[in-house]
Amino acid sequence: GGQGVHRELALVAGGAVFAKMLCESRLPAPDSREWILLGFSIGILSAYHVWFMVHTRSGAGNTVFGFARHTRAIWVKRMFSNDAFTLPAVQSMRNEMFVGIFFGETSFTAVAVLISAVSAIDLTCTLQSLSRSDPLMGNFKETVTPVAKVLVVALTLFGIFIMALQHVRMVKHCGLYFGASGSVIEVEAALHVRTMLSHASFCFWFCQRLTYLLIPALGLFFGPTYCLLGCVGCTIVMSVADTFNLPKMHPRKLLKKIRVSISAKSFMDLPDR
């Protein structure tokens, strides 16, 4: 009985070694084109976000993120202008928290599924089989290890979870500050809410960016060509989403019109950050 068990274990180990050797023997020498395609992928994303930051700083209404940063300050002032707006403001904060909770729960579940899948399959041979479908590279030997690919996806999902968690935390604190409307610390509370909402908005923006980047990260499983195509597609989508539905009126004129339409209060004269 004991010898039979040892014999079966030896056969299983020998089969695993043979399968790994067979999988590696079908692949040619490492190809530098993989790093070239990955370099193009990173370069496209980096160039777009450099353009995005410069474009956002050059004008308030050039991007959705920049325009929302200014209108958010006006919204906070409006919510503090009357106690009747306290309930709608808290409801808005609650809706913001629900969105952040959804992103956090989804990313955490995806990480758990990814870890389960990695532990249940022969990762190296499986990802090498997927990469053989690359239309430009063909049957090539990968220099980016399967563990590195999984790590990129896992870190992206973990980043989404952290940013969503920070977004929910800051929005929750903002809901508490709205209770100070009409009190002696009304001006200070409005400043704190405006600052914290700006930070929460940045966390949510970063969370959405990482969600977009999941597409090329998953495309890397199928080869560097699909990663490059995913980066190009994400860049096009982000460029449209970052400028979509901006007002046709000049941003400065629109912001001035919004300010004029709001009744003046003591904290309305606070300088915009």
Side-chain angles (χ1 to χ4, degrees), residues 45-61:
L45 292 174
S46 301
Y48 170 74
H49 283 93
V50 169
W51 172 87
F52 174 83
M53 290 186 290
V54 173
H55 208 52
T56 300
R57 291 180 177 273
S58 62

Side-chain angles (χ1 to χ4, degrees), residues 38-52 205 208-209 211-217 226-244:
L38 293 179
F40 273 116
S41 302
I42 298 174
I44 290 173
L45 292 174
S46 301
Y48 170 74
H49 283 93
V50 169
W51 172 87
F52 174 83
W205 174 86
Q208 289 181 315
R209 284 302 115 145
T211 305
Y212 283 126
L213 296 182
L214 270 178
I215 297 175
Y226 291 104
C227 179
L228 177 61
L229 292 176
C231 289
V232 173
C234 285
T235 303
I236 294 174
V237 172
M238 287 187 294
S239 64
V240 174
D242 288 336
T243 57
F244 187 67

Side-chain angles (χ1 to χ4, degrees), residues 15-209:
V17 173
F18 176 76
K20 184 176 181 180
M21 294 175 59
L22 182 63
C23 190
E24 293 178 350
S25 63
R26 296 177 180 177
L27 298 176
D31 197 332
S32 61
R33 291 179 299 171
E34 180 181 14
W35 287 107
I36 295 176
L37 292 176
L38 293 179
F40 273 116
S41 302
I42 298 174
I44 290 173
L45 292 174
S46 301
Y48 170 74
H49 283 93
V50 169
W51 172 87
F52 174 83
M53 290 186 290
V54 173
H55 208 52
T56 300
R57 291 180 177 273
S58 62
N62 290 335
T63 62
V64 175
F65 183 79
F67 183 75
R69 184 177 58 187
H70 289 268
T71 55
R72 190 181 303 110
I74 301 172
W75 179 82
V76 172
K77 295 174 181 178
R78 178 65 171 171
M79 292 299 102
F80 275 90
S81 64
N82 195 319
D83 291 342
F85 294 143
T86 301
L87 181 58
V90 173
Q91 290 176 341
S92 298
M93 297 296 98
R94 181 194 61 182
N95 295 336
E96 287 281 337
M97 290 178 61
F98 284 158
V99 177
I101 291 172
F102 169 76
F103 273 90
E105 289 181 345
T106 305
S107 59
F108 190 83
T109 304
V111 171
V113 172
L114 181 64
I115 294 175
S116 300
V118 168
S119 60
I121 61 175
D122 185 357
L123 182 64
T124 302
C125 199
T126 300
L127 291 184
Q128 286 177 352
S129 299
L130 291 176
S131 299
R132 292 171 188 168
S133 61
D134 191 294
L136 294 182
M137 301 294 296
N139 188 23
F140 72 104
K141 186 174 182 179
E142 299 172 294
T143 54
V144 180
T145 63
V147 175
K149 295 180 179 180
V150 174
L151 187 61
V152 168
V153 176
L155 289 177
T156 304
L157 290 171
F158 188 70
I160 295 173
F161 174 77
I162 293 297
M163 290 296 106
L165 187 65
Q166 291 298 315
H167 172 260
V168 172
R169 184 180 68 85
M170 293 180 184
V171 171
K172 180 180 73 69
H173 290 312
C174 290
L176 298 177
Y177 276 109
F178 275 108
S181 176
S183 66
V184 294
I185 61 169
E186 181 178 344
V187 176
E188 291 78 7
L191 280 173
H192 281 293
V193 170
R194 186 173 65 182
T195 302
M196 293 185 70
L197 280 181
S198 296
H199 293 165
S201 177
F202 174 77
C203 289
F204 189 72
W205 174 86
F206 206 89
C207 176
Q208 289 181 315
R209 284 302 115 145

